[in-house]
Amino acid sequence: MKEFFGFGGYTREAEGFLSWQHLLFVGSLLTAMVLIAIVLGKQNRLKSNEEKNKVLIWVAILIDSIEIFKIVLLYIRSQSTESILYNLPLFLCSIQLIAIPIAAFSKGRIKEAALDFVCIFGILGAIFGTIGAGQNYSVYPVLSFDNVVSGITHSLSGFASLYILFAKMASMKKKNIFITFSILIGFCIAAYVANVIIDYNYMFLMAGDGTPYDIVYNLVNGNKILYPAFVVGLFLVYIVAFYSVFYLFAKKNKKLG
């Protein structure tokens, strides 16, 4: 247990990014994520909004409880306030720690926008935070507290995204696109300011850190203005692309129905 939680540092060597151990572990998580989301989503599709929402309430409680436990343990392990400063909910994936509870507990247009936001970015965060998490799996053993907790929370985000889709909770109203943009831009600004103040890399706005963002970083030769602008631009393009694909499928299903 001491080795799993990393007290005193991990003595095991990291198996490595994209090693078979890494891919087997995250593949198992993602498979479970997809299957459970499909089953629960289809089971609840015709139920009332209140019944559908119960699943999101449990996800919100679970994901935030795990994250709080992680922060507390990391502080105990390091005895340093840096463990708190470097674990603020300012990564793209971490936004779900706030967005999912808002989607679960709010009402009206705010709920609609939050549901859409979770739906749009949950699955993206799940993929980037598991398969694409080179910054974790290159450093920590696969079956370690750091990677297991990260894998579970990212998978919960992906589950929420897919569940919202299969349970037909996403509205994707065009009037809410501006709110989705605003949420993302607000977090990006907060993350960039935090990066400058504490010299960190929230939202990967300063560097790729072994993730697929390295491709963008190398394309602009690490330019401190172009790189973060490019990353934020990709986020916005992704939002537009997601809405477009959603409307395309909705239109086809309407014709078939």
Side-chain angles (χ1 to χ4, degrees), residues 5 9 46 54 73 93 146 198 203 218 240 249 252:
F5 286 107
L46 300 179
K54 287 180 180 179
L73 188 136
C93 313
D146 295 78
I198 66 176
M203 297 284 282
N218 293 330
V240 173
F249 276 93
K252 284 186 176 181

Side-chain angles (χ1 to χ4, degrees), residues 77-164:
R77 196 171 73 180
S78 65
Q79 292 295 305
S80 171
T81 55
E82 288 186 352
S83 62
I84 298 176
L85 292 175
Y86 294 158
N87 283 281
L88 298 173
L90 291 174
F91 281 113
L92 178 62
C93 313
S94 304
I95 300 176
Q96 303 300 336
L97 298 171
I98 299 172
I100 293 175
I102 292 176
F105 294 104
S106 63
K107 295 181 179 181
R109 190 174 174 186
I110 294 177
K111 185 180 186 70
E112 288 181 350
L115 284 169
D116 292 350
F117 189 90
V118 173
C119 183
I120 293 169
F121 284 104
I123 190 65
L124 181 69
I127 294 173
F128 271 77
T130 55
I131 297 175
Q135 76 282 9
N136 281 348
Y137 290 94
S138 297
V139 178
Y140 307 119
V142 170
L143 295 181
S144 63
F145 176 78
D146 295 78
N147 281 333
V148 169
V149 167
S150 177
I152 291 174
T153 53
H154 284 90
S155 296
L156 283 171
S157 296
F159 165 80
S161 173
L162 292 174
Y163 174 76
I164 289 170

Side-chain angles (χ1 to χ4, degrees), residues 44-62:
N44 294 337
R45 181 176 294 176
L46 300 179
K47 293 183 179 180
S48 66
N49 290 332
E50 289 75 16
E51 288 296 318
K52 293 179 182 180
N53 198 57
K54 287 180 180 179
V55 173
L56 287 183
I57 290 175
W58 279 108
V59 174
I61 293 172
L62 186 59

Side-chain angles (χ1 to χ4, degrees), residues 57-68:
I57 290 175
W58 279 108
V59 174
I61 293 172
L62 186 59
I63 194 171
D64 279 4
S65 297
I66 293 173
E67 187 68 15
I68 291 170

